Amino acid sequence: MADRSPSLTRNPFTAEEKPAVSVAVEHLSKSFGALQVLKDVSFAVEPGEIFVLMGPSGSGKSVLLKHIVGLELPTAGRVMVDSHDASSERTREQIRMALVFQAGALFNSLSVYDNLALYLREHQVANEGGIREKVMRALQILSLENAASKLPAELSGGMKKRVAIARALVMEPQLMLYDEPTSELDPVMGATISEIIATLKDEFHVTTIVVSHDRDLALSIADRVGILMNGQLIHVSPPAALRDPHDPRIDDFLNPQVDLKNPRFKKLEI
Ligand SMILES: Nc1ncnc2c1ncn2[C@@H]1O[C@H](COP(=O)(O)OP(=O)(O)O)[C@@H](O)[C@H]1O
Ligand SMILES: [Mg+2]
């Protein structure tokens, strides 16, 4: 965010009590029936790191994220979060993970305020006064104070994404996962969301995994980038190494060329 207000450093969402966690994906394979979606995927994410996982549609990115939060079970291999198996109930109780879904997954009948308060009320994290403080703080961080009483249907796409992030933030997560946080947004809002992700990581030292095919996001905020193609992790490096990729598969993905001489375009007469 452009204005890094000092209030950020004073807010209650610090990871002091619960430190950032590491994530280790170890030889993870996943099949749905005959379809093998993940093929022996291994990588590790350090506490407080931003790891961006890129890859074409259908390459298995969302399925991989679901394994990290324990929503899918591996066919083979495992995912460890701070040395605990991600698929165990106990891990999910002990480690605070927040997944920001692609579509936001807000409750349409609830106001923005109640969408954020829901988790805190369900888990009886605080009394209503304490909940109010946490909710308003999260809304303030995402510049959404004026949207508290609005319904999701009244919000723009960019605001909905910010509400989804604010809702994850009230959980005071040690691990934040984002699925395509900038898809369907214009480039300016996409850049704003990228900055928010980086700011949250800087201020709260939260381990962050972002799934995206937004090249600008990856190059601007990632500590490291992984590229998943057809279920295989074919590359992991700091983003700078992607500016001049040697692997033609990565080059084609990051720098797609449209051949205007292709007969398909003849009809358009351009
Ligand atoms: N629950 C499921 N059952 C069967 N197939 C699935 C399921 N979830 C995902 N898939 C398939 O796995 C593949 C990878 O999906 P996904 O991880 O959503 O891709 P993306 O990289 O676009 O996020 C797709 O072919 C998808 O149809
Ligand atoms: Mg996906």
Side-chain angles (χ1 to χ4, degrees):
M1 270 175 289
D3 105 79
R4 296 200 168 194
S5 66
S7 65
L8 273 180
T9 52
R10 287 202 310 271
N11 85 65
F13 304 106
T14 68
E16 271 161 27
E17 267 179 66
K18 292 234 171 193
V21 291
S22 62
V23 176
V25 175
E26 299 174 355
H27 300 288
L28 179 64
S29 293
K30 177 68 176 181
S31 297
F32 294 107
L35 178 69
Q36 189 173 7
V37 174
L38 296 175
K39 299 166 188 163
D40 196 21
V41 173
S42 296
F43 64 95
V45 182
E46 301 295 324
E49 185 181 21
I50 298 185
F51 188 91
V52 178
L53 186 68
M54 302 185 77
S57 291
S59 56
K61 304 181 299 295
S62 295
V63 169
L64 179 47
L65 271 195
K66 286 181 187 159
H67 280 83
I68 297 172
V69 293
L71 287 174
E72 290 283 2
L73 295 178
T75 305
R78 60 183 189 172
V79 178
M80 305 298 280
V81 181
D82 239 11
S83 322
H84 304 287
D85 198 307
S87 64
S88 90
E89 186 84 14
R90 222 163 145 243
T91 307
R92 292 204 296 283
E93 280 166 12
Q94 288 183 350
I95 296 176
R96 294 200 199 118
M97 307 182 204
L99 172 58
V100 179
F101 285 97
Q102 184 162 359
L106 301 174
F107 291 98
N108 288 325
S109 60
L110 297 181
S111 69
V112 166
Y113 182 95
D114 287 333
N115 261 285
L116 265 66
L118 192 65
Y119 169 89
L120 302 174
R121 286 177 181 146
E122 271 180 4
H123 291 79
Q124 302 180 337
V125 168
N127 60 22
E128 272 302 313
I131 288 174
R132 182 165 189 82
E133 194 179 311
K134 287 175 189 286
V135 168
M136 293 315 290
R137 180 65 88 182
L139 291 176
Q140 188 192 342
I141 292 168
L142 277 303
S143 308
L144 287 165
E145 302 96 311
N146 299 330
S149 58
K150 291 207 157 87
L151 290 171
E154 299 174 85
L155 306 176
S156 68
M159 284 172 95
K160 275 188 203 156
K161 294 266 186 203
R162 271 149 56 210
V163 173
I165 295 172
R167 191 178 57 175
L169 197 60
V170 294
M171 295 167 61
E172 299 177 30
Q174 298 161 274
L175 174 61
M176 287 273 281
L177 304 113
Y178 301 83
D179 198 351
E180 305 277 6
T182 61
S183 62
E184 303 149 36
L185 298 181
D186 65 61
V188 173
M189 187 47 73
T192 305
I193 296 288
S194 301
E195 266 192 68
I196 288 170
I197 294 170
T199 304
L200 295 181
K201 178 256 173 167
D202 284 350
E203 300 291 337
F204 311 131
H205 197 63
V206 60
T207 308
T208 302
I209 301 178
V210 188
V211 155
S212 179
H213 38 227
D214 182 339
R215 184 176 181 272
D216 293 340
L217 174 146
L219 295 178
S220 62
I221 68 168
D223 293 309
R224 285 183 307 143
V225 179
I227 296 187
L228 194 66
M229 278 196 191
N230 297 319
Q232 281 178 307
L233 190 68
I234 61 165
H235 178 93
V236 178
S237 76
L242 290 174
R243 290 188 193 277
D244 186 17
H246 296 296
D247 184 330
R249 292 171 299 176
I250 299 173
D251 197 20
D252 285 348
F253 168 62
L254 292 176
N255 307 301
Q257 303 289 323
V258 178
D259 177 10
L260 291 176
K261 294 206 180 90
N262 186 313
R264 261 201 289 176
F265 293 107
K266 280 252 169 71
K267 286 197 281 284
L268 300 173
E269 292 182 0
I270 42 178

